[in-house]
Amino acid sequence: MSNEPALTFAKAYAELQTITQEFEAGELDLEKSIPRFKRATELVNFLKKELVKMESQIEEINLDNQEGLS
Amino acid sequence: MLAQPVFQVSECIEALNQHLSLVGEIVVEGELGRLDVKNGRLLFGTLKDAVSSLDFFSMSHLVKNFRQFEPGMLVQAYGSPGLYKTSGKFRLLVNQLVPVGEGALQIAYDKLKAQLQREGLFAPERKRPLPPWPQTIGLITAVGSSAQADLLKIITARRGGLTIYTLPVNVQGREAIPSILKAFAYLNYHPSAIDLVIIARGGGSLEDLAAFNSEAVCRAVFGCPVPVMAAIGHEDNWSLCDYVADLRASTPSHAAELAVRDRLEVLREIITSHQWLHQRLIRDLKTKETTVNQATLAIRRRLHRLTATVNQTLGKIPVMAVSLQSLLHQYRQTLDHSLPQFYSRLKRDQALKQQDLIHLERLLTSLDYRVVLRRGYSITRLKTGRILKRADQVKPGAALQTQLSHGAINSIVN
């Protein structure tokens, strides 16, 4: 997944849903469904990696020291 | 003894106003006697109690919530005492007017709620869907409050890898509204920095929740460029902010659950999806395999039938050959029988034709004039070549030629 820096959790999840819908619709022939399944596997691996992250970053905004605020 | 100073009227009012300015801001609580609005922006009102009454003046941009008030409400007026320059009458120059007591707060709440509803701030159709997977979340809460603690605890337990910005505000008291407005000003200034905003506060009285029932905060929530979820107060006790927000959660904990899906639940979902896709692919592969097998079988059967037909046809060839030979033999016999007859008929016809030819030749010979000449006859012609048949056809001196059987004689007529 390193060659896809733009991939986010939201995009990956949405793409996985799209692939699932394509399979549900039964519109894919084998020539297409095999690469789509491979892509789904990549997405699942990416999502799993994201989901096992434990730490979140917590940052306090100093509202008294912000430019442009009245 | 010093002489008393004598002031002009305006000087007197100015001097007294200077003295009064030393008093600074005061808070006066009383029942609202009247509140008149002139030119849509000048507010003239009276506060009173059982003994006294006090006039006050303000402007609509200072007391933005002036429409919430009605005579009889208990209010607190924040302002500075002073005299009108022109009339010298005393008035309190008010910069903030706050309903006091549950009764007044309830009236203000109901009036503002009706007004915002009329304006469409609660309309379901303007509610934005919350982002399903927010990566950055802004929390507008009081620092160290249980609301903030609950939100942080539950959000971080449910998902990792997020960025959570806390925007610390005062959630009650006089500084509550300005600080909340500052937080929304930050969001307006950085609209793409945060995916979702949660504004939360624990339960409290109407007075405690006054900032979240204020028109300014409601309008800030409405105008926020980022979807807002509100969790103010108790489950059955909605603040006006709750009505304006894109989604209302009953408690801060509930807000956290609505904002972020639990990682295990999502993990289970995507694993199930992946397994389903795999099973579906295998099923499709098996279906294809069956189709290919059926097609192969059909081709084999067809080939088998074709081979049988060819073999059958090949088996018939000797019989057909015999039959053909027999047919040829018959034709040959017929030909052998017919040919002599044909030749004899042809010869007979030829002999007859020969006789006819001889006869015709004889006939032709008998008619030849040279035969007549040989018998002693002759033919006399004029010079022109015409045959002379009568004597008067010529005159004396005419040249004639007489043809005999052998040779010719030229003569002149006498």
Side-chain angles (χ1 to χ4, degrees):
Chain A
M1 310 306 288
S2 58
N3 57 345
E4 290 181 41
L7 196 61
T8 62
F9 191 93
K11 281 183 184 174
Y13 185 85
E15 196 180 339
L16 182 63
Q17 277 193 320
T18 305
I19 294 173
T20 307
Q21 283 162 5
E22 287 170 357
F23 271 69
E24 279 172 346
E27 291 167 352
L28 296 176
D29 54 28
L30 273 179
E31 279 184 14
K32 286 182 184 164
S33 63
I34 290 171
R36 294 300 275 159
F37 178 75
K38 280 184 183 170
R39 177 62 179 160
T41 306
E42 286 174 2
L43 294 169
V44 167
N45 289 336
F46 171 80
L47 291 169
K48 278 182 187 171
K49 209 183 289 178
E50 287 293 304
L51 285 169
V52 296
K53 285 181 183 170
M54 294 306 289
E55 298 298 321
S56 282
Q57 187 186 342
I58 300 170
E59 195 176 314
E60 184 173 313
I61 306 289
N62 183 356
L63 293 172
D64 293 324
N65 187 25
Q66 290 292 324
E67 283 183 17
L69 300 187
S70 57
Chain B
M1 182 178 174
L2 288 172
Q4 285 278 352
V6 176
F7 294 99
Q8 295 297 308
V9 175
S10 57
E11 288 172 346
C12 172
I13 291 170
E14 195 179 332
L16 289 171
N17 269 337
Q18 279 180 3
H19 278 286
L20 286 170
S21 70
L22 298 174
V23 176
E25 188 180 89
I26 58 172
V27 184
V28 182
E29 185 174 302
E31 184 184 314
L32 193 62
R34 65 179 176 87
L35 180 62
D36 298 329
V37 185
K38 291 191 175 169
N39 300 329
R41 60 190 182 88
L42 305 176
L43 309 177
F44 298 93
T46 309
L47 292 174
K48 61 181 184 180
D49 60 15
V51 180
S52 307
S53 75
L54 178 68
D55 288 341
F56 69 85
F57 168 75
S58 189
M59 311 278 277
S60 58
H61 72 275
L62 294 171
V63 181
K64 289 179 181 165
N65 59 340
F66 66 90
R67 289 190 187 85
Q68 299 175 36
F69 298 97
E70 61 182 41
M73 285 172 68
L74 188 63
V75 297
Q76 285 182 349
Y78 292 74
S80 313
L83 305 176
Y84 286 111
K85 271 187 180 174
T86 50
S87 67
K89 286 183 180 170
F90 180 83
R91 87 291 188 262
L92 191 66
L93 181 59
V94 170
N95 58 55
Q96 192 180 354
L97 202 58
V98 180
V100 180
E102 292 294 305
L105 286 167
Q106 191 60 51
I107 292 168
Y109 176 97
D110 292 340
K111 287 186 81 168
L112 182 59
K113 184 181 174 187
Q115 180 196 331
L116 297 180
Q117 192 153 24
R118 272 196 307 276
E119 288 184 32
L121 270 70
F122 306 159
E125 58 270 20
R126 61 84 42 192
K127 306 279 186 200
R128 293 164 293 191
L130 301 190
W133 308 104
Q135 204 62 35
T136 51
I137 301 173
L139 305 182
I140 301 179
T141 54
V143 178
S145 64
S146 59
Q148 188 186 68
D150 288 349
L151 281 165
L152 287 174
K153 182 180 147 195
I154 294 170
I155 289 174
T156 52
R158 287 168 79 83
R159 269 287 300 279
L162 305 178
T163 304
I164 302 166
Y165 294 107
T166 59
L167 293 91
V169 296
N170 294 331
V171 292
Q172 69 187 76
R174 223 184 144 199
E175 287 305 311
I177 294 175
S179 69
I180 295 170
L181 294 181
K182 202 177 273 186
F184 279 103
Y186 173 84
L187 296 169
N188 283 320
Y189 196 67
H190 303 283
S192 56
I194 290 174
D195 297 331
L196 171 68
V197 173
I198 302 174
I199 180 166
R201 188 205 187 284
S205 65
L206 267 178
E207 201 161 353
D208 293 336
L209 302 177
F212 299 95
N213 290 324
S214 73
E215 186 173 350
V217 170
C218 285
R219 291 195 187 281
V221 171
F222 186 75
C224 182
V226 179
V228 179
M229 179 156 40
I232 316 289
H234 294 300
E235 189 164 351
D236 300 327
N237 189 12
W238 287 46
S239 75
L240 295 181
C241 265
D242 288 318
Y243 286 106
V244 180
D246 294 296
L247 186 67
R248 196 255 175 173
S250 55
T251 62
S253 304
H254 185 217
E257 288 166 3
L258 290 174
V260 177
R261 288 185 60 188
D262 181 67
R263 73 179 85 210
L264 290 177
E265 180 192 318
V266 181
L267 203 57
R268 267 196 296 273
E269 186 192 315
I270 62 167
I271 288 170
T272 305
S273 282
H274 193 224
Q275 284 172 343
W276 182 84
L277 287 171
H278 185 254
Q279 285 166 1
R280 191 70 180 234
L281 188 67
I282 296 295
R283 194 197 72 176
D284 288 353
L285 279 168
K286 282 187 176 168
T287 307
K288 281 281 176 204
E289 190 184 6
T290 308
T291 310
V292 169
N293 287 342
Q294 283 173 345
T296 309
L297 198 64
I299 289 167
R300 277 184 186 159
R301 280 179 185 156
R302 187 80 184 266
L303 202 62
H304 183 71
R305 278 203 299 273
L306 204 62
T307 310
T309 308
V310 168
N311 289 338
Q312 203 175 359
T313 309
L314 286 174
K316 282 179 183 174
I317 284 176
V319 178
M320 284 169 72
V322 168
S323 170
L324 200 62
Q325 274 181 337
S326 162
L327 200 63
L328 275 173
H329 183 70
Q330 279 177 13
Y331 280 135
R332 187 166 290 159
Q333 279 186 334
T334 307
L335 206 60
D336 290 347
H337 178 70
S338 302
L339 266 179
Q341 287 182 348
F342 175 73
Y343 282 130
S344 73
R345 195 183 301 144
L346 196 66
K347 278 181 183 171
R348 200 165 56 237
D349 287 353
Q350 203 176 4
L352 284 173
K353 291 274 190 302
Q354 191 78 31
Q355 281 179 355
D356 286 349
L357 201 62
I358 292 166
H359 177 71
L360 282 173
E361 196 177 4
R362 279 179 189 159
L363 187 64
L364 204 61
T365 307
S366 69
L367 290 174
D368 190 350
Y369 72 95
R370 286 172 295 191
V371 175
V372 178
L373 289 180
R374 278 199 294 272
R375 290 209 302 264
Y377 293 95
S378 63
I379 300 168
T380 303
R381 287 188 175 84
L382 294 172
K383 197 178 181 180
T384 58
R386 283 180 64 194
I387 294 171
L388 188 66
K389 293 180 179 173
R390 289 201 317 263
D392 58 359
Q393 279 182 279
V394 292
K395 290 177 180 175
L400 301 173
Q401 186 183 55
T402 304
Q403 186 182 358
L404 304 173
S405 178
H406 296 285
I409 300 166
N410 292 322
S411 58
I412 301 295
V413 178
N414 293 323

